[in-house]
């Protein structure tokens, strides 16, 4: 009887930490409108379908039909979107993940009255929300000073409206002609742009002639450690991808893209893609629970429950020192553990843990 009482007083169970998994989120800048009306047509929609982005900063967000139908067709019925109103070539954001908040900031440049700056707070996997700003800066080679003013306004709007150290992406058609522009310096003061995405030939140009890097996916330093190579079915783009259907091979990676899609009539620019990885806690098996102890016919026994179907290990020890535990049985929950009373032992502790 003395041993039984000691066994009962020494029953114990231990918990374990949560498992983790990684989710890759693909972010795209897209001014891929075509035709005579600066709107999304089959070539641009094909590129969306082929690259399968999770979040897109969209410029010139026009379509000859229902925008809900456009998003359903190119992305899927589960995607959400926001498109600013009151502009002829509005910006917007499309997201696989829930959009928790969104809006449009007015561009103070009075000469840019056909679009604003669109923002969204997105519930991406992981511990933080992602803040995305979709922008379309002033075009032309003689507008560098105006782009610099727009960049500073975006910086100030972000600082005034988003949390410090937010996970932030500013993406879109920035119409930047030279890396010496003031807009580049301003964006560099709070965002990262390296490494620079390119196509398979190393060309970083994104305008129709592939001579200027107009389109960019910039990100906050808080996201720098989460940037990962863009993994396509047959090739990895370590620095991110500038997608041009005329040079991408094999096109079997990106159905239904056709080779001429990036050269369609009045195709604005090339899509730019970066991938980020977010770590998501996931619940593993429940802690083991040791219960219903009993002693009969020379056998000590108790039940072990946890997550049904998961494997657990019962450890035993004659003391509670970390080095004193040793496995005595592995089984699938729920199960009953039993063993004969060990000879010469006056006490014995037990614990259950998920099997590695």
């Amino acid at each position: 009887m003395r041993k039984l009482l000691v066994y009962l007083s020494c029953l114990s169970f231990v918990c374990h930490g949560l498992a983790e998994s990684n989710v890759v989120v693909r972010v795209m800048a897209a001014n891929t409108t075509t035709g005579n009306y600066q709107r999304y047509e089959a070539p641009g929609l094909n590129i969306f379908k082929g690259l399968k982005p999770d979040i897109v900063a969209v410029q010139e967000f026009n379509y000859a039909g229902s925008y809900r139908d456009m998003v359903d067709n190119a992305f899927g019925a589960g995607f959400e979107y926001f498109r600013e109103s009151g502009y002829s070539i509005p910006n917007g954001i499309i997201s696989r993940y829930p959009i928790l908040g969104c809006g449009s900031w007015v561009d103070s440049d009075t000469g840019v009255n056909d679009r604003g700056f669109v923002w969204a707070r997105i519930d991406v996997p992981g511990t933080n929300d992602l803040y995305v700003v979709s922008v379309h800066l002033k075009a032309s080679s003689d507008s560098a000073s105006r782009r610099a003013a727009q960049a500073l306004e975006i910086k100030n709007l972000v600082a005034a409206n988003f949390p410090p150290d937010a996970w932030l992406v500013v993406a879109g058609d920035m119409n930047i002609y030279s890396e010496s522009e003031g807009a580049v310096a301003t964006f560099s003061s709070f965002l990262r742009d390296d490494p620079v995405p390119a196509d398979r030939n190393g060309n970083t140009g994104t305008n129709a002639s592939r001579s200027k890097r107009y389109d960019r996916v910039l990100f906050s330093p808080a996201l720098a450690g989460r940037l990962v190579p863009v993994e396509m079915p047959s090739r990895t783009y370590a620095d991110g991808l500038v997608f041009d259907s005329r040079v991408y091979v094999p096109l079997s990676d990106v159905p239904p893209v056709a080779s001429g899609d990036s050269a369609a009539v009045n195709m604005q620019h090339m899509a730019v893609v970066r991938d980020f990885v977010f770590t998501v806690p996931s619940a593993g098996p429940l802690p083991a629970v040791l219960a219903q102890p009993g002693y009969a016919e020379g056998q000590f026994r108790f039940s072990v429950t946890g997550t049904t179907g998961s494997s657990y290990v019962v450890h035993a020890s004659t003391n509670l020192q970390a080095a004193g535990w040793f496995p005595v049985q592995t089984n699938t929950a729920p199960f009953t553990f039993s063993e004969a009373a060990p000879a010469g032992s006056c006490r014995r502790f037990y614990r259950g843990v998920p099997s590695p």
Side-chain angles (χ1 to χ4, degrees):
M1 180 62 66
R2 178 173 174 273
K3 281 189 176 181
L4 176 59
L5 292 173
V6 172
Y7 278 128
L8 286 170
S9 67
C10 296
L11 276 172
S12 64
F13 68 90
V14 298
C15 299
H16 61 284
L18 292 177
E20 294 182 335
S21 59
N22 289 329
V23 177
V24 174
V25 175
R26 176 160 294 172
V27 181
M28 176 192 289
N31 188 355
T32 53
T33 59
T34 55
N36 297 321
Y37 303 101
Q38 290 178 282
R39 66 190 184 195
Y40 284 87
E41 300 175 321
L45 299 179
N46 286 345
I47 291 169
F48 285 148
K49 294 174 185 177
L51 293 177
K52 297 180 174 64
D54 299 296
I55 297 170
V56 187
V58 185
Q59 289 75 59
E60 304 185 5
F61 197 164
N62 289 322
Y63 180 66
S66 159
Y67 293 101
R68 182 68 260 173
D69 289 347
M70 170 191 159
V71 173
D72 289 352
N73 174 40
F75 298 92
F79 278 72
E80 299 183 8
Y81 74 95
F82 173 73
R83 175 184 181 271
E84 63 184 348
S85 60
Y87 296 105
S88 61
I89 50 170
N91 288 310
I93 293 171
I94 299 171
S95 174
R96 176 186 303 276
Y97 303 104
I99 296 177
L100 304 177
C102 55
S104 174
W105 295 324
V106 174
D107 184 346
S108 294
D109 187 326
T110 57
V112 182
N113 53 21
D114 52 8
R115 70 264 193 183
F117 307 128
V118 163
W119 65 271
R121 179 167 68 94
I122 299 174
D123 184 17
V124 295
T127 57
N128 294 23
D129 296 330
L130 180 68
Y131 293 79
V132 179
V133 184
S134 177
V135 303
H136 188 176
L137 304 189
K138 176 62 180 170
S140 81
S141 59
D142 60 355
S143 297
S145 62
R146 296 171 69 177
R147 286 190 290 274
Q150 288 176 301
L152 181 59
E153 183 168 29
I154 292 165
K155 178 180 180 179
N156 291 337
L157 286 166
V158 165
N161 291 280
F162 297 162
D165 300 321
W167 289 358
L168 169 67
V169 168
V170 178
D173 177 1
M174 300 183 182
N175 281 311
I176 291 172
Y177 277 66
S178 168
E179 296 306 306
S180 64
E181 285 192 22
V184 174
T186 296
F187 283 134
S188 297
S189 69
F190 73 110
L191 298 168
R192 295 280 299 272
D193 189 30
D194 58 280
V196 175
D199 65 18
R200 70 184 182 94
N201 299 320
N203 187 347
T204 61
T206 69
N207 63 337
S209 66
R210 305 298 311 281
S211 61
K212 301 291 183 183
R213 195 161 78 90
Y214 287 169
D215 306 83
R216 307 183 183 212
V217 178
L218 310 178
F219 54 94
S220 60
L223 283 175
R226 300 185 179 277
L227 188 68
V228 294
V230 172
E231 298 281 352
M232 301 300 286
S234 62
R235 185 183 177 95
T236 298
Y237 291 84
D239 298 336
L241 171 63
V242 173
F243 182 79
D244 184 341
S245 65
R246 295 165 293 187
V247 301
Y248 188 94
V249 292
L251 286 177
S252 58
D253 280 359
V254 287
V257 176
S259 61
D261 283 344
S262 294
V265 174
N266 293 330
M267 170 61 75
Q268 293 292 314
H269 300 155
M270 306 299 110
V272 179
V273 173
R274 290 194 192 269
D275 284 357
F276 299 89
V277 64
F278 299 113
T279 302
V280 183
S282 58
L286 295 170
V289 176
L290 281 55
Q292 299 177 317
Y295 186 81
E297 298 179 355
Q299 296 281 321
F300 177 68
R301 66 189 61 197
F302 53 83
S303 65
V304 180
T305 58
T307 298
T308 299
S310 293
S311 180
Y312 291 85
V313 182
V314 175
H315 291 121
S317 177
T318 58
N319 58 69
L320 293 177
Q321 300 300 314
W325 294 98
F326 55 92
V328 290
Q329 184 179 336
T330 300
N331 210 332
T332 300
F335 64 94
T336 298
F337 170 85
S338 64
E339 70 168 355
S345 176
C346 65
R347 64 180 181 177
R348 197 162 173 86
F349 300 86
Y350 294 92
R351 71 181 185 183
V353 298
S355 179

